[in-house]
Amino acid sequence: MTDLVHLLERAVPGGVDASNRRRAEYSSDASNYRVVPRAVVFPRHVDDVLAAAEVARQTGVALTARGGGTSVAGNAIGAGIVVDFSRHLNRVLEVDPDGATAQVQPGVVLAHLQATAAPYGLRFGPDPSTQARCTVGGMIGNNACGPRAVAHGSTADNVVELDWLDGAGRRFTAGRGLDPVPGLADLVGSELAVLRTELGRFGRQVSGYGLQHLLPERGGDLAKALTGTEGTCGLLLGARVRLVPVAPARALAVLGYPTMAAAADAVPSLLAHRPLAVEGLDRRLVDVVRRHRGRVPELPAGAGWLLVEVGGEDQAAALAAARSVAAGAGALASRVVGAGPEAAALWRIREDGAGLAGRTPAGAPAWPGWEDAAVPPERLGAYLRDFDDLLAQHGLDGLLFGHFGDGCVHVRLDLPLAGAPGRLRPFLVDAARLVASHGGSLSGEHGDGRARGELLPLMYSPAAIALFERFKGLFDPHDLLNPGVVVRPAPVDAQLRRPAARPLPADGGFRFAADDGDLTTAVHRCVGVGKCRADTSAAGGFMCPSYLATRDEKDSTRGRARVLQELANGTLVDGGWRAAEVHDALDLCLSCKACGSDCPTGVDMATYKSELLYRAYRGRLRPARHYLLGRLPSWARLAGLAPRAVNAVLAIRPLRRALLRLGGLDPRRDVPRFAREPFRRWWRRNRLAPAQSARRGPVLLWVDSFTDAYSPGAARAAVRLLTAAGYAVTVSAGEVCCALTWISTGQLDHAKARLRRLLAAFEPHARAGTPIVGLEPSCTAVLRSDLVELLGDDPRARTVAAATRTLAELLDDAGDWAPPDLAGTAVVAQPHCHQHATAGYDADLRVLRRAGADVTTIAGCCGLAGNFGMEAGHYDVSVAVAENGLLPALRAAPGAVLLADGFSCRTQAEQLAGRRGVHLAELLDT
């Protein structure tokens, strides 16, 4: 490996990484497979790609192209050199509105292309549900489709020219005509019968190579034929793609049917309406979404639904078209929904399906492998009935959804890959035979990859298989490009990731109750969907702040999960809990918990990081910052004895900087000032006896360590506010700490001890039905999530968790409470990440709107994230995270009130923007 890496580093200076951590991150895509590369290359220019390919040819080492890594079939992983086009070669070079085309680099994310083309009233037709992170190069590699392919065709139908580098080192422009490749015209001429009878039989026949495009009657289009070759015939260096007009207006007809098969039976007649999309949703998938998100838009009666999108010249025309669809759909019931938030929420059910379907309704892991088979639409209903019978024969279950308008079905199955991987092959063989019997395709948009390549002979004749081999041979005579895929494929059950992972049972820290008490099962929740690589802030998403700041796979939730999966494997990452690769991967994790809610598979990297720190340092000396920040409530209590003196000492700049360095913190940071009078001291002097006659009954106001020491004004305001609202306010007695800082630094034994003391103090109130109102969102989140995960064997934990409320939730439920008049008050609201993950911000927004405030909500982490932004080595990333949301929002509204319940959020805004934030209690206490 050393010689290969040396050659690559000379060829691509600064763009090569062969570290074990990096190889772990790229050992999987979104498939079931694990193939560890020898090196990963990040080309900055096309010349870097040419140079890396030359090294591959010189050394005979295989080369695999990779975009967003969202391949579900295992076609973006390889044992040699992996070239990641998404890091740098990710631009739209030109949009030609007159010709309705765009020139793009291979690593451009589809959503970026759509945003660039939108001002011209144009878009790229195919739009997979992963469009916020998949790359156009990857779409060309797989011949991707998506919901609106029913109107606009597959990616192959929308490419014009490809800048191509083949395995022999030839660079050429592929478009119409076969001349660039010697011998290709002769190959086509000798195989006309196979090309005309076996290929291109229906729109979603993606399996194999799309060589029907080479036929003279189809224009001899080499660009279209190379689309869908899965990196086995060349490297894409650039592309000109066709754009289509954006529909002026759109509407949805939501149709309910008794079964998914009955919904499929209706599809052929619906296609006569020329819809933009026809998507199928299973009731059980909707139930999973409802449990994950709390609610979904209203759906008509049924157990299977079709979302039929139609267009029109204006909204009225689109709605009329949707009503026409519904009238003749033969559905049990229907709804028509115009463009807007509700339609977007319906589409989000579909978009998150790939991730949410990774768990069965019972919570068991479900896997890809047979996730995108397709049949002609007129055969879809019959195929689904036969497929249900096949699942029953194999004792399997899965959640169905898909592009029913094109006959393409997505499903994740509860295959027991961890304990009985031998059940995979017989099912796949039977499934392949079934889809072939219906005239279908093993793959309808994801490609064959490692998941289905071996099964191609069950769909194609020996002559067609030989034709694929001969075609690849013209472009890649030495089989260097993505070997083991499509041609001479690897076995479908070789190199599976999950069976190779060892159990890592819970051991004194978190219980991992939802994952059978096993950390390995927990980290394998990540199946590589890659939503953590998307900027979802426009839709209110917070994940993943570190990746959005660095754009490095290392700093994505998925990249970290891959390293932890390799820890469970134990071969590549073999240093155990203290492995450098693991701690490097977790270093820039902000522990914001956003993935716990935003990741559709339920990955919770904050919990995994805490557990890893716990196991790594249990019984050992810890870093200084763990003792300083990890035990901050204890230091704050001591500082509260003489806060003015402590503030005076910390105001001496050289001394403060020295202390910060000594404690492992960044000297560029200021130290938050302690309040002159902690809340508890004020409360002893101003204690009010709870009003027994209060009309709303009692409430326990929990004054946490941060509020007491740093923000007592918020607690004082909360007392006044709740009392005025008619509550009998009791303040938590003494120091009742949630142990947040101990949890975030992995000091879980200490954390459990403190949480048990909290239970002793709070459980009597909770058992009596008294709401426990938290003021600091991160502390409230501990009681709603970590408390049960750490002390779930104590029945008091669930009682207290169920009684815990945010201030906004309490006031929102008080229907006749009259908030102060905030009309004309501009508010920029920074929700705390932990609240976003565990409670959401809807109640806060309802309260603010009742008060008449004009609210702008920031989506994304503030960047301080508790101890993260204070620690040495994190400052620059902390600021970069703030620049993705908080700081631009503050600059855009210089006169607005900054509303931030989180102490960290207020601290970040004050230190980086000089803006003082207020707590919701302070804003409403007017």
Side-chain angles (χ1 to χ4, degrees):
M1 180 183 297
T2 304
D3 290 343
L4 172 66
V5 173
H6 178 68
L7 289 172
L8 284 172
E9 288 175 340
R10 288 178 55 191
V12 189
V16 180
D17 194 337
S19 67
N20 284 359
R21 193 214 71 235
R22 183 67 81 187
R23 294 164 63 213
E25 294 157 9
Y26 285 76
S27 62
S28 294
D29 43 21
S31 71
N32 295 329
Y33 300 94
R34 170 188 180 269
V35 180
V36 179
R38 294 173 66 177
V40 182
V41 174
F42 301 95
R44 293 181 178 274
H45 313 283
V46 167
D47 287 348
D48 291 341
V49 182
L50 302 178
E54 180 60 29
V55 171
R57 285 191 296 275
Q58 291 174 3
T59 58
V61 174
L63 189 149
T64 297
R66 181 174 171 124
T70 57
S71 164
V72 189
N75 32 22
I77 50 177
I81 303 165
V82 170
V83 180
D84 182 347
F85 285 87
S86 69
R87 186 78 185 276
H88 303 297
L89 293 175
N90 53 19
R91 293 185 296 136
V92 177
L93 300 177
E94 177 195 28
V95 172
D96 176 6
D98 296 327
T101 64
Q103 185 74 32
V104 300
Q105 293 181 316
V108 67
V109 171
L110 175 59
H112 178 53
L113 171 59
Q114 305 290 43
T116 305
Y120 303 100
L122 299 170
R123 54 165 286 154
F124 190 61
D127 57 347
S129 61
T130 57
Q131 62 180 293
R133 63 267 193 194
C134 74
T135 65
V136 173
M139 293 177 66
I140 291 171
N142 293 353
N143 193 15
C145 298
R148 293 176 183 85
V150 70
H152 304 303
S154 69
T155 298
D157 298 316
N158 291 275
V159 297
V160 179
E161 291 180 339
L162 306 179
D163 185 357
W164 200 258
L165 176 70
D166 71 11
R170 296 172 298 200
R171 182 181 181 183
F172 56 87
T173 298
R176 287 184 174 270
L178 312 183
D179 292 343
V181 183
L184 181 57
D186 292 339
L187 176 64
V188 171
S190 67
E191 298 289 349
L192 292 175
V194 174
L195 292 171
R196 286 173 173 146
T197 58
E198 294 201 46
L199 302 176
R201 293 176 289 104
F202 72 107
R204 286 299 186 107
Q205 186 179 344
V206 168
S207 278
Y209 292 152
L211 304 187
Q212 71 275 7
H213 295 292
L214 300 175
L215 286 166
E217 62 267 29
R218 293 183 181 244
D221 198 317
L222 180 56
K224 289 177 167 48
L226 288 173
T227 300
T229 52
E230 305 183 34
T232 63
C233 296
L235 297 175
L236 180 70
L237 305 178
R240 181 164 291 279
V241 296
R242 183 171 68 92
L243 303 175
V244 299
V246 175
R250 293 180 291 182
L252 274 179
V254 187
L255 313 173
Y257 296 90
T259 64
M260 290 292 281
D265 290 337
V267 167
S269 64
L270 297 175
L271 295 178
H273 293 270
R274 301 179 65 82
L276 299 175
V278 182
E279 295 294 290
L281 290 175
D282 189 320
R283 173 187 58 79
R284 296 187 304 158
L285 178 64
V286 174
D287 289 343
V288 170
V289 176
R290 186 178 289 111
R291 286 197 296 273
H292 185 76
R293 302 216 178 279
R295 65 180 182 276
V296 296
E298 179 186 352
L299 292 165
W305 292 276
L306 295 178
L307 305 183
V308 183
E309 184 180 75
V310 292
E313 288 303 313
D314 54 33
Q315 191 62 48
L319 289 170
R323 293 188 191 102
S324 176
V325 169
L332 291 175
S334 64
R335 284 191 67 206
V336 171
V337 181
E342 189 172 16
L346 286 164
W347 277 113
R348 275 197 295 275
I349 299 174
R350 170 62 191 84
E351 290 167 0
D352 281 346
L356 293 171
R359 291 270 150 173
T360 68
W367 306 98
W370 192 254
E371 79 291 331
D372 72 319
V375 297
E378 63 272 15
R379 298 292 306 163
L380 184 57
Y383 168 71
L384 289 181
R385 293 180 179 90
D386 289 345
F387 187 68
D388 281 344
D389 292 341
L390 179 66
L391 291 178
Q393 292 168 19
H394 283 265
L396 298 174
D397 191 13
L399 303 177
L400 291 174
F401 59 103
H403 313 300
F404 277 27
D406 282 324
C408 183
V409 180
H410 294 315
V411 64
R412 299 290 177 101
L413 300 172
D414 59 346
L415 288 156
L417 293 185
R423 291 179 58 186
L424 175 65
R425 171 178 289 276
F427 169 76
L428 290 180
V429 169
D430 286 350
R433 287 178 175 145
L434 174 63
V435 79
S437 73
H438 284 272
S441 177
L442 312 182
S443 171
E445 63 178 349
H446 295 158
D448 299 308
R450 299 169 184 277
R452 289 172 288 274
E454 188 189 2
L455 306 173
L456 287 173
L458 299 177
M459 175 182 165
Y460 288 114
S461 69
I465 298 296
L467 174 58
F468 296 156
E469 293 181 1
R470 291 170 63 195
F471 180 76
K472 175 179 168 67
L474 292 177
F475 295 86
D476 184 27
H478 303 296
D479 202 17
L480 293 177
L481 300 177
N482 219 11
V485 172
V486 184
V487 169
R488 293 177 289 278
V492 294
D493 51 359
Q495 297 177 301
L496 293 170
R497 179 178 66 252
R498 185 61 182 88
R502 307 164 299 168
L504 296 172
D507 184 21
F510 285 94
R511 297 167 61 241
F512 300 107
D515 295 292
D516 300 323
D518 181 31
L519 177 59
T520 292
T521 301
V523 300
H524 277 87
R525 281 178 174 268
C526 179
V527 293
V529 171
K531 189 177 179 182
C532 51
R533 285 173 54 103
D535 183 353
T536 59
S537 58
F542 278 52
M543 178 180 72
C544 169
S546 55
Y547 176 77
L548 294 177
T550 69
R551 301 289 173 172
D552 189 333
E553 179 77 11
K554 171 182 78 72
D555 301 318
S556 69
T557 306
R558 181 179 69 180
R560 295 180 178 113
R562 291 302 185 223
V563 175
L564 295 180
Q565 289 168 5
E566 287 300 318
L567 169 69
N569 180 284
T571 54
L572 181 63
V573 176
D574 58 2
W577 305 112
R578 297 176 66 80
E581 297 91 344
V582 171
H583 291 267
D584 190 19
L586 293 174
D587 179 51
L588 293 183
C589 171
L590 282 76
S591 296
C592 69
K593 287 185 174 288
C595 51
S597 62
D598 292 3
C599 173
T601 62
V603 171
D604 184 355
M605 196 56 62
T607 294
Y608 307 161
K609 180 176 181 177
S610 177
E611 180 74 15
L612 265 293
L613 291 173
Y614 171 62
R615 300 203 193 194
Y617 291 109
R618 181 166 46 180
R620 293 186 172 92
L621 188 67
R622 289 174 167 270
R625 62 183 182 273
H626 285 196
Y627 297 108
L628 183 58
L629 294 180
R631 302 182 181 185
L632 182 59
S634 296
W635 307 128
R637 188 177 69 253
L638 291 175
L641 299 175
R644 296 188 184 190
V646 174
N647 288 336
V649 169
L650 293 177
I652 302 172
R653 182 178 176 84
L655 179 59
R656 182 180 70 247
R657 292 172 65 90
L659 289 173
L660 288 171
R661 286 195 179 94
L662 186 64
L665 309 183
D666 195 299
R668 288 172 287 183
R669 283 289 183 185
D670 287 330
V671 177
R673 293 177 61 82
F674 292 97
R676 291 185 175 185
E677 183 178 42
F679 174 81
R680 292 191 185 92
R681 186 180 304 166
W682 175 88
W683 181 246
R684 284 194 294 269
R685 292 190 297 101
N686 297 272
R687 183 190 304 268
L688 298 176
Q692 298 301 318
S693 61
R695 61 191 178 93
R696 297 191 193 278
V699 63
L700 176 65
L701 181 65
W702 173 29
V703 179
D704 58 89
S705 303
F706 297 103
T707 302
D708 178 56
Y710 294 105
S711 306
R716 294 194 296 267
V719 171
R720 293 189 294 265
L721 178 66
L722 292 174
T723 301
Y727 291 96
V729 180
T730 300
V731 172
S732 54
E735 183 193 9
V736 184
C737 180
C738 69
L740 169 67
T741 56
W742 282 268
I743 293 170
S744 63
T745 54
Q747 302 180 72
L748 299 183
D749 293 330
H750 293 283
K752 287 184 173 184
R754 286 181 167 264
L755 286 171
R756 289 190 183 98
R757 291 197 290 272
L758 179 145
L759 289 179
F762 283 0
E763 191 270 344
H765 296 276
R767 182 162 29 89
T770 300
I772 301 168
V773 176
L775 295 175
E776 169 57 44
S778 55
C779 297
T780 307
V782 169
L783 268 59
R784 298 181 88 145
S785 60
D786 299 310
L787 173 63
V788 174
E789 257 299 294
L790 288 166
L791 296 179
D793 52 348
D794 187 331
R796 297 177 301 172
R798 295 189 185 278
T799 303
V800 169
T804 301
R805 313 292 299 280
T806 68
L807 177 64
E809 287 171 339
L810 187 77
L811 295 174
D812 185 43
D813 285 346
D816 60 345
W817 167 71
D821 184 4
L822 297 178
T825 302
V827 175
V828 173
Q830 171 67 70
H832 194 287
C833 296
H834 290 193
Q835 179 174 340
H836 167 81
T838 60
Y841 204 66
D842 289 349
D844 299 72
L845 291 176
R846 286 192 294 269
V847 167
L848 291 167
R849 286 166 183 154
R850 280 171 63 184
D854 179 12
V855 184
T856 300
T857 306
I858 302 169
C861 181
C862 73
L864 188 60
N867 55 300
F868 173 84
M870 299 294 295
E871 294 176 353
H874 294 170
Y875 180 83
D876 292 335
V877 171
S878 176
V879 174
V881 171
E883 284 290 356
N884 280 332
L886 174 65
L887 296 180
L890 293 179
R891 287 193 290 265
V897 174
L898 169 62
L899 174 62
D901 285 0
F903 171 64
S904 290
C905 307
R906 295 194 298 272
T907 300
Q908 182 82 322
E910 188 165 359
Q911 292 193 1
L912 299 185
R915 292 280 288 275
R916 181 184 178 276
V918 299
H919 191 281
L920 179 64
E922 296 172 299
L923 181 63
L924 297 177
D925 179 36
T926 57

